[in-house]
Amino acid sequence: MFVMDIKKRDAATRLKLYARLLKRKRNILTRALALMAMAGLLSALAYRNETLTYESHVQDLKLNTTIEMVEVRERIKNNLISRVFALNELATIIGQNPTLNATEFNIKALDFVLGNPDVKFIEAAPDMVASMVFPKSGNEDVLGTSYRDRPEHLPKVLAALRTGETVMSGPIELSSEDRTLILRTPVFTPAPAGKRNPWGVLSVVLDYDKFFNKLGIAEYEQGFDILIHEDYAGHGQDGDVLLGDGAVLEADPIFLDLNLPFGTWELAATTDGGWPPHLPNYIIRTISYSLVILACVIAFGLVLRLYDKRRESDRLLSVGIEALEHGFVMFDADRRLVAFNKRYKEIAGGSGMVRIGARYEDIVKANLRLGLIPDAVGREEEWYEKWSQRLEIEVTDNEQILADGTFIRAYDRAMDCGAVVGLRIDVSDLKIAQREAEAANRAKTEFMGVLSHELRTPLTIILGHARLAQNIVKMPVYSKLIAEIEKHPEISAEIMPILDEVVTKFATMTRSIENSGNQLYTLISEILDFAKIESGTLAMEFDQTTVPSLVETVVEQMRPMVEHKGLKLEVSAVNCDINVDAKRIQQVLINLIGNATKFTEQGTISVIAKSSPGGVTFEVKDSGIGIPEDQLESVFEAFHQVDSTSSRKHNGTGLGLAISRDIAIAHNGELTAQSVLGQGSTFTMTLPRNAAPQLEDNSDETWKDKEEHQTLAA
């Protein structure tokens, strides 16, 4: 029978273990799926953000390209229009004098050539036969040619005569290194009734390369792919290509219309090589996104793990509450019972009163009616009113006496959320020990209250501004932005004030973060230093240095803070050597000057280092509020505050002076204070010239052992 019971218990145990293992595997699978879903979502968001950023980048490039191409368009347009006007003027002169000879033609053509150095020659073709050319030298083969025999030029010539407008052809390659542009304008002679008779065609042949070099187009071609072509019907390569390669049209270029007197042309352009397929730093951005996603997934995994631990902790808490020997109770924000254990039920009112949903007020008044609270007998209503008022602002604590004479300490505390947590502890044998513990607990509570008050505000500021604090003006993208804006003076005057305002805002945030971070760093450093002092692990590194170097380093560091408050800083330092831990002594001086600045609203702060018999004396004087005489020694006690309330004006943990005195003692010196309330204070640190501990070689004495001889805490 006994063996069977053992087997049953073993089977039940194995079943529980199997169920627990199955539950654990199910939790792991659920967590893995959640992490995969989160990684997918973050990846999609990152891809979408990268796509939008890339599109915005391309749009910016297109805008910049458009701005640059407007300049190119205007240069070409203005140059060609001026050429057409000059050519029409020459054509008008010829039309009014259709019988002019070659000499007269050369005189007229000379002025045109002198004003346009990129002109190769000018040709006059009455009745579409070239009969005059200037300059003639080198162009003799042009004379006598008929456009009727040149089909490659005839359509343009006929178009000019038909429309009466100037036309352009080109570029025409005369050889591998010789390209030309040809402007042709029709020449008409007057006729009766206001009609015009066609005389012929006047043609100007331009050197293609000189024409574009004169316009400065080459400098744009270094950064852009440019196409200028004749456009008969929208965006299409239907006519002559003046500049560039038609492949530009396949790269989604920007388009600008180029309206010229001889037709509609179009300018298309992209950046050199087309628009970039990626952002300039897309590899780094991809790596950054991957790292961020990985960090988020890891963090989410930790949150899930913490959540599981939280659920397990809640279960263990429930078990632990029930296992307590003391009574435990919790009320929600509406002061209704939400949790308790059996011990509390025994102590507070019996089973009929203690139940989930019961009101806190009803339970306490039931205890009053039963006479369980000695201090409230005979004045129950008055006692309850005071108890309720105290509970709103602090912990309530009283003793109860049960029917069997057991002393119970009733401890209730209102939480920030309005809930109330209570303990009912049997203190019959622990009342004396409890009084001692209360004193220690009060000291600890005051310390934690002060520490919490001092750390909360700077920490909140740091967390709120950490992601915004960036030194924008030193970033390459900022310099690039400024350079791009300065290239366009027509918009810089409007944009720069807005940009300066943004930079100023970020600078203000950065200063706020820096100030709060420095404050938080100082507080934490003081706590760590004090912990090292308490544990005997505060290290000292003694070295030979000079008094001026000690003082000047600290003064230069603290001067901005002092002068920012409108105070005057006076410094006087004797020139002599001293063997100390320079960083620790500077820490003391920084603390003393910082305190002097903190508690001084106007006047002067003096830092004086002078020789004393066998040593050096450092004095820090201020004209501040002073210290009451009965607290001059107390200010060197750990955690002591002259004003220790949470609403005090001056912040601090109360550790700075305690640490400073311990550092001075560690140097075989001392730190003292003198003060007159309302007039100022003087803190004096006296150190020997050689403060390093002198240990004999055959001694087993350690630095910590020497603290008894030096009265050190570290």
Side-chain angles (χ1 to χ4, degrees), residues 54-331:
Y54 169 74
E55 291 176 355
S56 176
H57 176 67
V58 172
Q59 289 301 321
D60 290 342
L61 291 177
K62 288 186 175 181
L63 176 61
N64 293 334
T65 302
T66 301
I67 294 174
E68 296 290 343
M69 291 304 104
V70 167
E71 176 67 20
V72 173
R73 180 183 68 179
E74 294 306 312
R75 289 188 183 186
I76 295 174
K77 184 176 179 180
N78 293 337
N79 187 282
L80 288 176
I81 290 176
S82 63
R83 299 292 181 91
V84 171
F85 285 162
L87 187 60
N88 288 338
E89 182 179 354
L90 182 57
T92 301
I93 294 174
I94 294 175
Q96 293 175 352
N97 187 17
T99 60
L100 82 170
N101 55 36
T103 301
E104 293 173 332
F105 172 77
N106 291 342
I107 293 173
K108 300 298 182 181
L110 177 62
D111 293 336
F112 188 90
V113 172
L114 292 177
N116 300 275
D118 52 356
V119 173
K120 295 177 70 69
F121 62 86
I122 300 178
E123 168 197 294
D127 196 23
M128 294 196 295
V129 177
S131 59
M132 291 179 287
V133 63
F134 179 85
K136 183 177 181 181
S137 178
N139 300 305
E140 293 84 352
D141 56 340
V142 175
L143 295 174
T145 59
S146 173
Y147 283 112
R148 295 182 179 87
D149 300 329
R150 301 177 68 181
E152 70 275 16
H153 296 293
L154 184 59
K156 290 284 186 178
V157 173
L158 294 177
L161 292 172
R162 183 178 64 255
T163 62
E165 302 290 343
T166 302
V167 297
M168 183 175 71
S169 301
I172 298 172
E173 294 189 2
L174 303 179
S175 65
S176 60
E177 297 181 356
D178 189 8
R179 294 183 296 175
T180 62
L181 291 174
I182 302 176
L183 293 176
R184 292 187 175 92
T185 187
V187 179
F188 296 94
T189 60
K195 296 184 179 180
R196 297 185 301 172
N197 295 323
W199 178 85
V201 178
L202 180 64
S203 301
V204 174
V205 180
L206 304 176
D207 187 298
Y208 181 86
D209 294 326
K210 287 184 179 181
F211 174 75
F212 281 105
N213 288 338
K214 180 180 179 181
L215 294 177
I217 305 301
E219 64 183 75
Y220 290 95
E221 289 184 303
Q222 295 177 2
F224 301 94
D225 291 339
I226 304 173
L227 171 68
I228 302 175
H229 66 97
E230 191 174 11
D231 188 11
Y232 292 137
H235 301 327
Q237 192 174 344
D238 299 325
D240 290 341
V241 175
L242 180 62
L243 177 68
D245 189 345
V248 173
L249 296 174
E250 301 176 2
D252 186 27
I254 61 99
F255 292 96
L256 292 176
D257 290 332
L258 188 60
N259 296 319
L260 298 173
F262 43 77
T264 300
W265 292 67
E266 188 176 62
L267 188 153
T270 66
T271 53
D272 190 18
W275 310 121
H278 305 286
L279 289 169
N281 56 345
Y282 79 99
I283 295 179
I284 296 177
R285 291 173 65 88
T286 301
I287 295 174
S288 300
Y289 280 127
S290 301
L291 293 177
V292 170
I293 292 173
L294 179 61
C296 290
V297 170
I298 292 174
F300 186 59
L302 292 176
V303 170
L304 291 178
R305 185 176 179 183
L306 291 175
Y307 174 73
D308 290 340
K309 288 186 175 182
R310 172 64 182 274
R311 290 197 304 174
E312 180 65 16
S313 298
D314 290 342
R315 187 186 68 82
L316 292 176
L317 177 62
S318 178
V319 174
I321 289 174
E322 196 59 46
L324 288 174
E325 296 182 359
H326 310 299
F328 176 86
V329 65
M330 179 180 288
F331 298 87

Side-chain angles (χ1 to χ4, degrees), residues 374-444:
D375 292 343
V377 175
R379 57 185 191 95
E380 287 80 2
E381 292 295 332
E382 178 185 355
W383 183 92
Y384 180 76
E385 290 297 327
K386 291 182 178 180
W387 174 277
S388 299
Q389 293 174 4
R390 289 179 57 199
L391 186 59
E392 296 296 331
I393 59 176
E394 59 179 288
V395 176
T396 56
D397 190 358
N398 69 82
E399 289 185 354
Q400 298 180 3
I401 303 177
L402 301 183
D404 60 0
T406 302
F407 282 90
I408 299 297
R409 177 57 59 94
Y411 177 92
D412 291 340
R413 178 166 185 166
M415 310 303 290
D416 292 339
C417 61
V420 175
V421 176
L423 286 176
R424 302 297 181 263
I425 306 171
D426 186 346
V427 295
S428 300
D429 298 327
L430 300 175
K431 295 190 67 175
I432 296 177
Q434 184 180 12
R435 293 191 187 100
E436 297 175 352
E438 285 176 349
N441 187 63
R442 281 195 299 271
K444 181 187 72 174

